[in-house]
Structures are given as structure tokens and as C-alpha cells.
Amino acid sequence: MAAMSPSKRRLQRELMSLVREPPPGVFVDGDEVGQNLTQWIVHMEGAKGTLYEGEQFQLQFKFSSKYPFDSPEVTFIGGNIPVHPHVYSNGHICLSILTDDWSPALSVQSVCLSIVSMLSSCKEKKRPPDNSFYVKTCNKNPKKTKWSYHDDSV
Amino acid sequence: MEDKRSPQWSSENTDVNQDELILQQQRRIEREISESIALVGEKESLISLELEYAKDEVYLAKTKVLGQKYSYIRRTRPDGNCFFRAFSYAYLERLIDNKEEYEKFRELALKSKDNLVALGFPQFTVEDFHDTFMEVIDKVGGDSEASRLELHKLFNEQGYSDYVVVYLRLITSGQLQREADFYQHFIEGDRTISEFCHQEVEPMYKESDHIHIIAMSTALGTGVRVRYMDRGAGTEVTAHDFPEGALPTVHLLYRPGHYDILYP
């Protein structure tokens, strides 16, 4: 077998650990990810006692060959995009660890945990104030958006 | 962890997506830089620095003063990781000739992983970087001449080179968090130490400041002398030792935004 690239080797290890010991409310189908390690679907359910209890979500992770030095591209996909002040209706997520504050010491698991906690701490279900403008003009890849802090109250 | 961000629009933004244009340009510049400068270059005579500043009186005068104490320079790629890359290269290079210190450092490096995991870093990712870090240390532990070549080769392979940088960033972050009470005084604004580490230490390409250098050299139990060269008055190239009073094992040249290696 040909030697795996460091990025593939790391993804393989992450996948195994996530399938074996997923964080609560997170589920990955190892076979579904299968051979194509560069694109994963992660299933997530709204935590009990939060505004999202009982809801099911799907997150798409895309990895470049520079992973883990480059952050993964993470978006919500499918029929149910959570209604949240940091989630645009096209599935883009406003979360600093996905761009500026990404570190190679983070992982798919830590991204999932951050997103679970982001959803869980939500007090009012609503879209970001600039949702319609953003969704109309943004690139398909959320990493191509230059995010900046603007609202500390949420 | 949760974020309060939203896309930043320029006022004249109409239909054109400005963000994308800016980012495209940024990536092009980054690519040009990385293609033209090696991650770690060859050792050059300090004369090369004089030539670079032939038409710049302030820097030329300072370079000549620098030349009284140093003979060689080794340049590193200006990608925001240069402090960590320059330091680790220069330090390992020194250890190649000093087996006693090499063994001591190897011990410390071996134990460092458990310290990081105990501090709450995810075992899974720390292990990944630690394994490669140890591999690099082991590969430069043999015969001096061969080790020197190996070091240069490894540090110019992105895979190895960046793994070493990441691991040193984690060690630095670990030290800052372990001694948070002390380092908190050096943090500007109202960020906590752990926020500072997540935003300025652990991510790649974030530049290093005094606080990074103090924490890293303290954690590794070694001293770094940085020579600061800028447009300030006088012809002196001020030296700062980190941690204060420590005997320097590595000498670096700092010019605004960038570190290179110096040799006596």
C-alpha cells in the first residue's frame, strides 16, 4: 500500500476516534465517509433542554491537502439549517476557530463540540441581522468571507 | 468559543464581492513569498546584509556594528512562524555539537507531551505533533555532519518543519497557561491568558512577541538573545536576553516583523 500523506493519515485517525468515541449528540457514519476522506458528513442533534432539542442537523466538513494547517471548511447542509444568530440560512457559520483562530491542535471533534456549545447557549432563535444580504453576495466557500467581530451581545 | 462575528462589508460594496478579491490577492502575495524564500536558508556571510542595505544609511550603519559581533546570518521564510522556526533550527543545530545538552533536551521533550495533556490539550492532536517532533530530534542525534544535513533537509520539508513549529507553539501555550498569574500582566486588553493562547500562540502564522519568547525559552530551559534592528536613533543593535539573565544559546536578528538566525 502506498504511504498515506500526513494529512490523510491524520484524517484517518480522527475518523476512527470519532466513530469510536463520538461526543454526545454527534454521529459519524464511518462507511459513509469511506474512501473519500476529504469530505465528511457529521450528524448532529440538538441537545436536551436547549432550543434545538429534538432537531437533527447535518454538517459538511471539507479538508484540503494542507489540513491540519489549513482549517476545514464547515457548513450546515440539508433541509434543516439551525436558526441561530451566527448561522446564515445558506449554512455558513460565523465561528472564529473556523478561520482566524484555527489551530492545528484543534480537530473535527473540537469543532463539533464548539458548534454544539454555540447552539446550546442560544437564547433566541433568529438569523443574523445581515442574513439576506450575505447569502446573496457571498462565495460558496465560507472561508472566502473576511469575517470580523461586530456584535458582542449575542 | 462561540463567536460574535459577521461579514465585514466595505461601504462601496455593491455587486462585486470585495472580500473575495482581497483574500485572493492576499493568497497570491503569500504564495509569491513562499516560492521565493526557503523555509530555512543557507548560512550566509553578514556581508550579504550589508549589500542589502547598500543604499540605506541607517540600516547599513547598524549592520556594520552587528558585524563586530556576528559573522553569519541564516534567513528564514517570513510567514509569521519565523521565530519558532528560526529558534528550533538554531537550537537543534547547537545540540548536534553538544551531546550532553542534546540528551537533556530530549528528556524534556519526551516528558512535554504528558504535561500538555495534563493541562487539557487534546491527547489525540498533541500526540500527532509530539511524535513528529521526537522523530526530528532523533534524526539529528547521530554523527555531526550527517545530522547537520538532515536538519537542513527536514526543516525545508513543510511536513516536518511545520509540525515542529506547531509543537513549539503548544509548548509555549502550555507554559503561559501553567504560569497564567505571572503572564497575565503582559497581556494587553481584557483577554484572559487562555484566550490569548487560542488567538495568538496556537494558530499558525501568528507572529511572536516578547511574551512568546519568554514563555518558550523558560519552558525549554534555555536562553535566547534577540538583536533588535530598526529605524531608531543611534547605531546600536540592542540585545535582549530571554529569559532575563539567562545565558543565550541561540542568537536571532529581529527586524520589524521578522526573525533570522545569527552566528558569532
Side-chain angles (χ1 to χ4, degrees), chain A residues 53-108:
Chain A
E53 180 171 345
E55 289 188 59
Q56 306 282 337
F57 307 110
Q58 289 186 312
L59 278 169
Q60 174 178 268
F61 281 72
K62 285 188 184 173
F63 306 93
S64 78
S65 60
K66 286 189 183 157
Y67 183 79
F69 298 102
D70 273 1
S71 61
E73 182 192 323
V74 185
T75 45
F76 279 105
I77 58 164
N80 191 24
I81 308 286
V83 178
H84 183 282
H86 302 145
V87 181
Y88 290 88
S89 53
N90 63 353
H92 287 195
I93 307 163
C94 185
L95 186 69
S96 69
I97 61 164
L98 295 178
T99 51
D100 291 8
D101 296 346
W102 168 258
S103 140
L106 297 172
S107 59
V108 175

Coordinates of all heavy atoms in Angstrom, one line a residue, chain A residues 53-108:
Chain A
E53 N -33.7 21.1 20.9 CA -34.0 19.8 21.4 C -34.9 19.1 20.3 O -35.8 19.7 19.9 CB -34.7 19.8 22.7 CG -35.0 18.4 23.2 CD -35.5 18.4 24.7 OE1 -35.4 19.4 25.4 OE2 -36.1 17.3 25.0
G54 N -34.5 17.9 20.0 CA -35.3 17.1 19.0 C -35.0 17.4 17.6 O -35.5 16.7 16.7
E55 N -34.2 18.4 17.3 CA -33.9 18.7 15.9 C -32.6 17.9 15.4 O -31.8 17.6 16.2 CB -33.6 20.2 15.7 CG -34.8 21.1 15.8 CD -34.6 22.5 15.4 OE1 -34.1 22.7 14.3 OE2 -34.7 23.4 16.3
Q56 N -32.6 17.6 14.1 CA -31.5 16.9 13.5 C -30.8 17.9 12.5 O -31.5 18.5 11.8 CB -31.9 15.7 12.8 CG -32.8 14.7 13.6 CD -31.9 13.9 14.5 OE1 -30.7 13.7 14.3 NE2 -32.6 13.4 15.6
F57 N -29.5 17.9 12.6 CA -28.7 18.7 11.6 C -27.6 17.9 11.0 O -27.2 16.9 11.5 CB -28.0 19.9 12.4 CG -29.0 20.7 13.2 CD1 -28.9 20.7 14.6 CD2 -30.0 21.5 12.6 CE1 -29.8 21.4 15.4 CE2 -30.8 22.2 13.4 CZ -30.7 22.2 14.8
Q58 N -27.2 18.4 9.8 CA -26.1 17.8 9.1 C -25.0 18.8 8.9 O -25.3 19.9 8.4 CB -26.5 17.2 7.8 CG -27.4 16.0 8.0 CD -27.6 15.4 6.6 OE1 -28.0 16.0 5.7 NE2 -27.4 14.1 6.5
L59 N -23.7 18.5 9.2 CA -22.6 19.4 9.0 C -21.7 18.7 7.9 O -21.5 17.5 8.0 CB -21.8 19.5 10.2 CG -22.2 20.5 11.3 CD1 -21.3 20.2 12.6 CD2 -22.0 21.9 10.9
Q60 N -21.3 19.6 7.0 CA -20.4 19.1 6.0 C -19.0 19.6 6.3 O -18.8 20.8 6.5 CB -20.8 19.5 4.6 CG -19.8 19.2 3.5 CD -20.4 19.6 2.2 OE1 -21.0 18.8 1.5 NE2 -20.1 20.8 1.8
F61 N -18.0 18.7 6.3 CA -16.6 19.1 6.5 C -15.8 18.8 5.2 O -15.9 17.7 4.7 CB -15.9 18.3 7.6 CG -16.2 18.7 9.0 CD1 -17.5 18.5 9.6 CD2 -15.3 19.3 9.8 CE1 -17.8 18.8 10.9 CE2 -15.6 19.7 11.1 CZ -16.8 19.5 11.7
K62 N -15.1 19.9 4.7 CA -14.2 19.6 3.6 C -12.8 19.9 4.0 O -12.6 21.0 4.6 CB -14.6 20.5 2.4 CG -15.9 20.1 1.7 CD -16.0 21.0 0.4 CE -17.3 20.7 -0.3 NZ -17.5 21.7 -1.4
F63 N -11.9 19.0 3.7 CA -10.5 19.2 4.1 C -9.6 19.4 2.9 O -9.7 18.6 1.9 CB -10.0 18.0 4.9 CG -10.9 17.6 6.0 CD1 -11.9 16.7 5.9 CD2 -10.7 18.2 7.2 CE1 -12.8 16.4 6.9 CE2 -11.5 17.9 8.3 CZ -12.6 17.0 8.2
S64 N -8.7 20.3 3.0 CA -7.7 20.5 1.9 C -6.5 19.6 2.2 O -6.4 19.0 3.2 CB -7.3 21.9 1.8 OG -6.3 22.2 2.8
S65 N -5.6 19.5 1.2 CA -4.4 18.7 1.4 C -3.5 19.3 2.5 O -2.5 18.7 2.9 CB -3.6 18.5 0.1 OG -3.2 19.8 -0.4
K66 N -3.7 20.5 2.9 CA -2.9 21.2 3.9 C -3.5 21.0 5.3 O -3.0 21.6 6.2 CB -2.8 22.7 3.6 CG -1.8 23.0 2.4 CD -1.6 24.4 2.4 CE -0.7 24.8 1.2 NZ -0.9 26.2 0.9
Y67 N -4.6 20.3 5.4 CA -5.1 20.0 6.7 C -4.1 19.2 7.5 O -3.4 18.4 6.9 CB -6.4 19.2 6.6 CG -7.1 18.9 7.9 CD1 -7.8 19.9 8.6 CD2 -6.9 17.7 8.6 CE1 -8.4 19.6 9.8 CE2 -7.5 17.4 9.8 CZ -8.2 18.4 10.4 OH -8.8 18.2 11.6
P68 N -3.8 19.5 8.8 CA -4.5 20.4 9.7 C -3.9 21.8 9.8 O -4.2 22.5 10.7 CB -4.3 19.7 11.1 CG -2.9 19.0 10.9 CD -2.8 18.7 9.5
F69 N -3.1 22.2 8.9 CA -2.5 23.5 8.9 C -3.6 24.5 8.4 O -3.7 25.6 8.9 CB -1.2 23.6 8.2 CG -0.2 22.8 8.8 CD1 0.1 21.5 8.3 CD2 0.4 23.1 10.0 CE1 1.0 20.7 8.9 CE2 1.3 22.3 10.7 CZ 1.6 21.1 10.1
D70 N -4.3 24.1 7.4 CA -5.5 24.9 7.0 C -6.7 24.4 7.7 O -6.9 23.2 7.9 CB -5.7 24.7 5.5 CG -4.9 25.6 4.6 OD1 -4.2 26.4 5.2 OD2 -5.0 25.6 3.4
S71 N -7.6 25.3 8.1 CA -8.8 24.9 8.7 C -9.7 24.1 7.8 O -9.7 24.3 6.6 CB -9.5 26.1 9.3 OG -9.9 27.0 8.2
P72 N -10.6 23.3 8.3 CA -11.6 22.6 7.4 C -12.7 23.6 7.0 O -12.9 24.6 7.7 CB -12.2 21.5 8.3 CG -12.0 22.0 9.7 CD -10.7 22.8 9.7
E73 N -13.3 23.4 5.9 CA -14.5 24.2 5.5 C -15.7 23.5 6.1 O -16.0 22.4 5.7 CB -14.5 24.3 4.0 CG -15.6 25.1 3.4 CD -15.7 24.9 1.9 OE1 -14.7 24.6 1.2 OE2 -16.8 24.9 1.4
V74 N -16.4 24.2 7.0 CA -17.5 23.6 7.7 C -18.8 24.4 7.4 O -18.9 25.6 7.7 CB -17.3 23.5 9.2 CG1 -18.4 22.8 9.9 CG2 -15.9 22.9 9.5
T75 N -19.8 23.7 6.9 CA -21.1 24.3 6.7 C -22.3 23.4 7.1 O -22.1 22.1 7.1 CB -21.4 24.7 5.2 OG1 -21.0 23.6 4.4 CG2 -20.6 25.9 4.8
F76 N -23.4 23.9 7.5 CA -24.6 23.1 7.7 C -25.2 22.9 6.3 O -25.2 23.8 5.5 CB -25.6 23.9 8.6 CG -25.4 23.8 10.0 CD1 -24.8 24.9 10.7 CD2 -25.6 22.6 10.7 CE1 -24.6 24.8 12.1 CE2 -25.4 22.5 12.1 CZ -24.9 23.6 12.8
I77 N -25.6 21.7 6.1 CA -26.3 21.3 4.8 C -27.6 20.6 5.1 O -27.9 20.3 6.2 CB -25.4 20.4 3.9 CG1 -25.0 19.1 4.7 CG2 -24.1 21.2 3.5 CD1 -24.5 18.1 3.8
G78 N -28.3 20.4 4.0 CA -29.6 19.6 4.1 C -30.8 20.5 4.4 O -30.7 21.7 4.3
G79 N -31.9 19.8 4.8 CA -33.2 20.5 4.9 C -33.3 21.3 6.1 O -34.1 22.2 6.2
N80 N -32.5 21.0 7.2 CA -32.7 21.8 8.4 C -31.4 22.5 8.8 O -30.5 21.9 9.4 CB -33.2 20.8 9.5 CG -33.6 21.5 10.8 OD1 -34.0 22.7 10.7 ND2 -33.5 20.9 11.9
I81 N -31.4 23.8 8.5 CA -30.3 24.6 8.9 C -30.7 25.3 10.2 O -31.7 26.0 10.2 CB -30.0 25.7 7.8 CG1 -29.8 25.2 6.4 CG2 -28.8 26.6 8.2 CD1 -28.6 24.4 6.2
P82 N -29.9 25.1 11.3 CA -30.4 25.7 12.6 C -30.6 27.2 12.5 O -29.8 27.9 11.9 CB -29.3 25.4 13.5 CG -28.1 24.9 12.8 CD -28.7 24.4 11.4
V83 N -31.7 27.7 13.0 CA -32.0 29.1 13.1 C -31.2 29.7 14.3 O -31.6 29.4 15.4 CB -33.5 29.4 13.2 CG1 -33.7 30.9 13.3 CG2 -34.2 28.8 12.0
H84 N -30.2 30.4 14.0 CA -29.2 30.9 15.1 C -28.6 32.2 14.6 O -28.3 32.3 13.5 CB -28.2 29.7 15.3 CG -27.3 30.0 16.4 ND1 -26.2 30.9 16.3 CD2 -27.2 29.5 17.7 CE1 -25.5 30.9 17.5 NE2 -26.1 30.1 18.3
P85 N -28.3 33.1 15.6 CA -27.7 34.4 15.2 C -26.4 34.3 14.5 O -25.9 35.3 14.0 CB -27.6 35.1 16.5 CG -28.5 34.4 17.5 CD -28.6 33.0 17.0
H86 N -25.7 33.1 14.6 CA -24.4 33.0 13.9 C -24.4 32.0 12.8 O -23.4 31.6 12.3 CB -23.3 32.6 14.9 CG -23.2 33.6 16.0 ND1 -22.8 33.2 17.3 CD2 -23.3 34.9 16.0 CE1 -22.8 34.3 18.1 NE2 -23.1 35.3 17.3
V87 N -25.6 31.6 12.4 CA -25.7 30.6 11.3 C -26.6 31.2 10.2 O -27.7 31.6 10.4 CB -26.3 29.3 11.7 CG1 -26.4 28.3 10.6 CG2 -25.5 28.7 12.9
Y88 N -26.0 31.4 9.0 CA -26.7 32.0 7.9 C -27.6 31.0 7.2 O -27.3 29.7 7.4 CB -25.7 32.6 6.9 CG -25.0 33.8 7.4 CD1 -23.9 33.7 8.2 CD2 -25.6 35.1 7.3 CE1 -23.3 34.9 8.8 CE2 -25.1 36.2 7.8 CZ -23.9 36.1 8.6 OH -23.4 37.2 9.1
S89 N -28.6 31.4 6.5 CA -29.6 30.4 6.0 C -29.0 29.5 4.9 O -29.5 28.5 4.6 CB -30.8 31.1 5.5 OG -30.5 32.2 4.6
N90 N -27.8 29.9 4.4 CA -27.2 29.0 3.4 C -26.2 28.0 4.1 O -25.5 27.3 3.4 CB -26.4 29.9 2.4 CG -25.2 30.7 3.0 OD1 -25.1 30.7 4.3 ND2 -24.4 31.3 2.2
G91 N -26.2 28.0 5.4 CA -25.4 27.0 6.2 C -24.1 27.5 6.6 O -23.4 26.9 7.4
H92 N -23.7 28.7 6.2 CA -22.4 29.3 6.7 C -22.5 29.6 8.2 O -23.5 30.1 8.7 CB -22.0 30.5 5.9 CG -21.6 30.2 4.5 ND1 -21.0 31.2 3.7 CD2 -21.7 29.1 3.7 CE1 -20.8 30.6 2.5 NE2 -21.2 29.4 2.5
I93 N -21.3 29.3 8.8 CA -21.3 29.5 10.3 C -20.2 30.6 10.6 O -19.1 30.6 10.1 CB -20.9 28.2 11.0 CG1 -21.8 27.1 10.5 CG2 -21.0 28.4 12.5 CD1 -21.2 25.7 10.9
C94 N -20.6 31.5 11.5 CA -19.7 32.5 11.9 C -19.0 32.1 13.2 O -19.6 32.3 14.3 CB -20.6 33.8 12.2 SG -19.6 35.2 12.5
L95 N -17.9 31.5 13.1 CA -17.2 30.9 14.3 C -15.7 31.1 14.1 O -15.1 30.6 13.1 CB -17.6 29.4 14.4 CG -17.1 28.7 15.6 CD1 -17.8 29.2 16.9 CD2 -17.3 27.2 15.5
S96 N -15.0 31.8 15.0 CA -13.6 32.2 14.7 C -12.7 31.0 14.6 O -11.7 31.1 13.8 CB -13.1 33.2 15.8 OG -13.0 32.5 17.0
I97 N -12.9 29.9 15.3 CA -12.0 28.8 15.1 C -12.0 28.2 13.7 O -11.2 27.4 13.3 CB -12.2 27.7 16.2 CG1 -13.6 27.1 16.0 CG2 -11.9 28.2 17.6 CD1 -13.7 25.7 16.8
L98 N -13.0 28.6 12.9 CA -13.1 28.0 11.6 C -12.3 28.9 10.6 O -12.0 28.5 9.4 CB -14.5 28.0 11.0 CG -15.4 27.0 11.8 CD1 -16.8 27.1 11.3 CD2 -14.9 25.6 11.7
T99 N -11.8 30.1 11.0 CA -10.9 30.9 10.2 C -9.7 31.4 11.0 O -8.8 30.6 11.1 CB -11.7 32.1 9.6 OG1 -12.4 32.7 10.6 CG2 -12.7 31.6 8.6
D100 N -9.8 32.6 11.5 CA -8.6 33.2 12.1 C -8.0 32.4 13.3 O -6.8 32.4 13.5 CB -9.0 34.6 12.7 CG -9.3 35.6 11.6 OD1 -9.3 35.2 10.4 OD2 -9.5 36.8 11.9
D101 N -8.9 31.9 14.1 CA -8.4 31.3 15.3 C -8.2 29.7 15.2 O -8.1 29.0 16.2 CB -9.3 31.6 16.5 CG -9.3 33.1 16.8 OD1 -8.4 33.8 16.3 OD2 -10.2 33.5 17.6
W102 N -8.2 29.2 14.0 CA -8.0 27.8 13.8 C -6.6 27.5 14.2 O -5.6 28.3 14.0 CB -8.2 27.4 12.3 CG -7.7 26.1 12.0 CD1 -6.5 25.7 11.4 CD2 -8.3 24.8 12.4 NE1 -6.4 24.4 11.4 CE2 -7.4 23.8 11.9 CE3 -9.5 24.5 13.0 CZ2 -7.7 22.4 12.1 CZ3 -9.8 23.1 13.2 CH2 -8.9 22.1 12.8
S103 N -6.4 26.4 14.9 CA -5.0 25.9 15.2 C -5.0 24.4 14.8 O -6.0 23.7 15.0 CB -4.8 26.1 16.7 OG -4.1 25.0 17.2
P104 N -3.8 23.9 14.4 CA -3.7 22.5 14.0 C -3.9 21.6 15.2 O -4.1 20.4 15.0 CB -2.2 22.4 13.5 CG -1.8 23.8 13.2 CD -2.6 24.7 14.1
A105 N -3.9 22.2 16.4 CA -4.2 21.3 17.6 C -5.7 21.1 17.8 O -6.1 20.2 18.6 CB -3.6 21.9 18.8
L106 N -6.5 21.8 17.0 CA -7.9 21.5 17.1 C -8.2 20.4 16.1 O -7.3 19.9 15.4 CB -8.7 22.8 16.6 CG -8.5 24.0 17.5 CD1 -9.2 25.2 16.9 CD2 -9.1 23.7 18.9
S107 N -9.5 19.9 16.2 CA -9.8 18.7 15.4 C -11.3 18.8 15.0 O -12.0 19.7 15.4 CB -9.5 17.5 16.2 OG -10.3 17.5 17.4
V108 N -11.7 17.8 14.2 CA -13.1 17.7 13.9 C -14.0 17.6 15.2 O -15.0 18.3 15.3 CB -13.4 16.4 13.0 CG1 -14.9 16.3 12.8 CG2 -12.6 16.5 11.7

